Amino acid sequence: MPNTSKNPQKNTPAPAIRAYLGGSFDPVHDGHLQMAMTVYQRLLPIAKQQQRALHVSLLPNARSPFKEKSTDPKHRLAMLKLATLHTPLQINELELWQTPPVYTIDSVRTLRQHYPNDSLIFIIGMDSALSLSKWKNGLELTDYVNLWVFNRENLSDINNNKNNRLLATTTHCANKTLVAQDAMNLHAQLPAQLQSLRIDAPIDLLQPTSQASTDSRLLKNTHQGHIYIDSRPIATISSTQIRQQLQPTDNRSNIISAATRQMTSIAPIDDIIDNTAPNPLAKWLNPAVYQYIIAHQLYSAAQFR
């Protein structure tokens, strides 16, 4: 018997929630996963309450326009798959196989075109938010997506602030006051054009999206995106620093010996798992990713011959 319901929208699923963390992931490390998982864990209860699908994805780029070299995409994708194997995180290959340079503004336009009714969130660090004016049309990102901005701090900064934050969090009230003050301080640093877009809670990023225009000239939504500043510090672990630590420093011009030395001098995988490796940065690598790097001699001089 045909469905004669006069409400065809009744069975239409609610718009999904989609969050993306972009980067070269060269290599992917726990700092990346910490940011993505924080967003996932904060949004999951809201998604369940609103009966909406939740997708949090890592968005690897083909090659950053700010970097001269980048590891082969197939290796970066393989490491991402290993790192996310036992997590709810997904991998979106939208940018990975495009001819570089690929710009974020083009990607968010494409995502908005693909998902006109979904809540789209782009995850960045405060360092990136402060430099959006230097990106290609960076200040226009909020025409297509919301921004979730993390206060990324260096490990030394986190250690220096640890005691102060511990004292401040002795009571729930003190902790809320500290977070609010941090958020206001960070808000004041945003580009002037974006300061009015700040909201106080992640749920405010998930307001229903009006139907986007199908006109290619008007891909943005009829409402302005918003910015949520997550003032809890996330450690800034630089992939560049990890690569430097993994690459032998002496006789770099000797390609063959450099690769050989990497295989013999790199910290054993058991030391990484047991958290006893002398290189503190390597501890931020998933053990399977670390083993992949060793097996494929990545980040040695031989990689770029």
Side-chain angles (χ1 to χ4, degrees):
M1 182 174 181
N3 184 357
T4 58
S5 171
K6 295 182 180 180
N7 185 13
Q9 299 298 322
K10 185 175 181 180
N11 296 324
T12 301
I17 303 169
R18 301 179 186 274
Y20 301 89
L21 174 62
S24 60
F25 303 110
D26 194 12
V28 59
H29 53 67
D30 288 350
H32 297 131
L33 301 182
Q34 183 183 3
M35 292 175 67
M37 281 303 302
T38 296
V39 172
Y40 181 87
Q41 291 165 355
R42 294 286 301 278
L43 292 179
L44 184 59
I46 302 173
K48 287 182 176 179
Q49 183 180 22
Q50 298 182 355
Q51 298 183 326
R52 300 172 65 179
L54 173 62
H55 308 276
V56 178
S57 304
L58 303 181
L59 183 70
N61 57 31
R63 178 178 64 79
S64 168
F66 302 107
K67 296 180 181 179
E68 293 183 359
K69 293 181 178 180
S70 184
T71 302
D72 191 317
K74 69 178 183 181
H75 286 311
R76 291 188 285 121
L77 180 59
M79 290 187 286
L80 280 170
K81 290 180 178 179
L82 290 172
T84 59
L85 184 60
H86 301 294
T87 77
L89 303 178
Q90 303 173 18
I91 302 169
N92 187 302
E93 301 179 29
L94 170 65
E95 296 184 353
L96 190 61
W97 308 109
Q98 296 185 49
T99 302
V102 179
Y103 295 98
T104 301
I105 188 64
D106 298 323
S107 296
V108 298
R109 284 171 178 157
T110 299
L111 290 170
R112 174 52 66 199
Q113 190 173 27
H114 287 172
Y115 308 111
N117 299 315
D118 292 352
S119 296
L120 302 186
I121 300 170
F122 204 77
I123 308 165
I124 60 175
M126 178 54 73
D127 53 336
S128 295
L130 298 180
S131 64
L132 283 178
S133 60
K134 299 179 181 178
W135 295 23
K136 179 185 177 183
N137 303 120
L139 297 179
E140 298 177 14
L141 292 183
T142 51
D143 288 344
Y144 305 94
V145 296
N146 300 289
L147 299 182
W148 188 310
V149 181
F150 277 100
N151 177 27
R152 299 195 296 185
E153 292 186 353
N154 293 324
L155 286 176
S156 58
D157 294 334
I158 291 177
N159 291 332
N160 291 337
N161 293 334
K162 184 177 181 180
N163 291 334
N164 292 335
R165 293 183 179 274
L166 183 60
L167 290 174
T169 55
T170 53
T171 67
H172 179 67
C173 181
N175 182 47
K176 289 181 66 176
T177 300
L178 177 65
V179 169
Q181 290 175 345
D182 284 350
M184 289 302 297
N185 291 336
L186 295 170
H187 169 246
Q189 300 177 43
L190 287 174
Q193 301 94 313
L194 302 179
Q195 291 192 10
S196 64
L197 305 181
R198 176 179 169 266
I199 47 85
D200 295 321
I203 194 170
D204 294 328
L205 299 177
L206 308 180
Q207 297 175 358
T209 303
S210 301
Q211 179 68 39
S213 170
T214 56
D215 190 325
S216 61
R217 297 168 299 174
L218 299 170
L219 288 179
K220 67 180 182 179
N221 296 327
T222 57
H223 79 283
Q224 181 72 64
H226 294 92
I227 300 174
Y228 171 64
I229 299 178
D230 196 330
S231 59
R232 294 167 302 174
I234 296 292
T236 302
I237 309 301
S238 168
S239 294
T240 301
Q241 290 176 314
I242 291 178
R243 291 196 303 271
Q244 291 172 345
Q245 289 289 334
L246 293 174
Q247 185 174 345
T249 56
D250 54 325
N251 299 326
R252 291 177 187 267
S253 60
N254 189 329
I255 295 175
I256 296 178
S257 63
T260 302
R261 282 196 305 278
Q262 184 188 38
M263 297 295 290
T264 58
S265 65
I266 201 165
I269 187 66
D270 289 342
D271 290 349
I272 298 299
I273 296 175
D274 296 335
N275 205 34
T276 59
N279 177 5
L281 292 177
K283 297 173 185 177
W284 286 83
L285 293 172
N286 178 292
V289 171
Y290 187 78
Q291 199 157 23
Y292 184 94
I293 290 172
I294 297 174
H296 293 84
Q297 298 183 5
L298 301 183
Y299 311 119
S300 68
Q303 179 186 0
F304 300 113
R305 62 180 171 180

